[in-house]
Amino acid sequence: MLIGFDVSRYEVVNDWEAVKAAGYVFGSTRATVGDYYTDPTFVNYWKGMKSAGILRMAYHVLAPERPQSQISRFIDLVRTDWGELPPVLDLELDRDVNRQVITDKTLYCLHELEKASNRKPIIYTTQNFANNHLLPAAKLSDYPLWVANYTTKPAPALPNFWTGWVFWQYPEARKLPGINGA
């Protein structure tokens, strides 16, 4: 199993080479949230991971409103360098929007990401979010799953309509060499 990490403005990375030397092969960094926020650490973290030889994936946190403007914001940010791994659509915000709307907007954004990147994007979510806020009949399971499930069990709990996963985020927080913060 290959190990990786997820960073955003909440962590301070001061030594990418130390992260790589500790055995971390890939990393994900938050780029945008909705159409209103660009993570201020994204550009530096994106370049730092690349210079250290860490495989990269950028993620966008989907807000359940204005999908066109928010996915355009994300695409504009990463268009010249998509990274070595597919882009990720992070599904964890519902804002009391119904399942049909969240599912429709998710599918729209996935389609736009796939067109722009020429790669099948990855969905990041939890079992709880997917089961309670997405419609299972929507072909979402055609997309690779990065599941967040903080457990010591040998396998993650999956959303009802996925049968496997490509990434499993299992500790919520861990100290890594070269990174201040969990």
Side-chain angles (χ1 to χ4, degrees):
M1 182 183 300
L2 301 175
I3 59 171
F5 58 89
D6 171 18
V7 291
S8 68
R9 72 175 180 91
Y10 297 108
E11 297 80 30
V12 176
V13 183
N14 51 31
D15 189 347
W16 286 111
E17 295 297 333
V19 175
K20 174 77 171 178
Y24 291 86
V25 175
F26 67 91
S28 179
T29 185
R30 181 176 67 182
T32 52
V33 179
D35 64 355
Y36 53 86
Y37 184 78
T38 299
D39 194 303
T41 61
F42 175 75
V43 172
N44 287 335
Y45 287 4
W46 200 240
K47 289 176 184 176
M49 286 190 287
K50 184 175 185 174
S51 69
I54 297 169
L55 302 176
R56 303 162 301 151
M57 56 186 165
Y59 70 93
H60 170 73
V61 180
L62 181 66
E65 62 269 341
R66 300 179 303 280
Q68 294 89 349
S69 58
Q70 65 181 291
I71 208 62
S72 292
R73 180 187 188 100
F74 176 73
I75 289 169
D76 288 347
L77 184 62
V78 298
R79 172 181 314 276
T80 60
D81 180 3
W82 285 97
E84 296 72 37
L85 299 171
V88 178
L89 191 63
D90 179 321
L91 305 178
E92 57 186 298
L93 301 177
D94 69 88
R95 301 214 173 119
D96 295 322
V97 174
N98 74 53
R99 294 169 70 144
Q100 183 66 60
V101 171
I102 293 173
T103 302
D104 290 347
K105 291 179 181 190
T106 296
L107 287 168
Y108 170 82
C109 290
L110 290 166
H111 177 73
E112 292 300 306
L113 278 177
E114 194 165 358
K115 276 192 332 189
S117 70
N118 292 314
R119 300 181 193 173
K120 193 168 208 84
I122 296 168
I123 294 174
Y124 168 91
T125 195
T126 64
Q127 179 189 44
N128 182 56
F129 186 90
N131 290 349
N132 292 308
H133 301 288
L134 298 171
L135 294 174
K139 298 190 180 191
L140 291 171
S141 61
D142 291 347
Y143 289 88
L145 175 66
W146 169 4
V147 63
N149 182 236
Y150 311 124
T151 181
T152 57
K153 293 181 181 177
L158 298 178
N160 292 336
F161 44 99
W162 267 281
T163 58
W165 50 273
V166 294
F167 294 103
W168 171 20
Q169 186 170 327
Y170 57 91
E172 186 171 16
R174 175 179 281 172
K175 296 295 276 179
L176 276 69
I179 298 178
N180 294 333

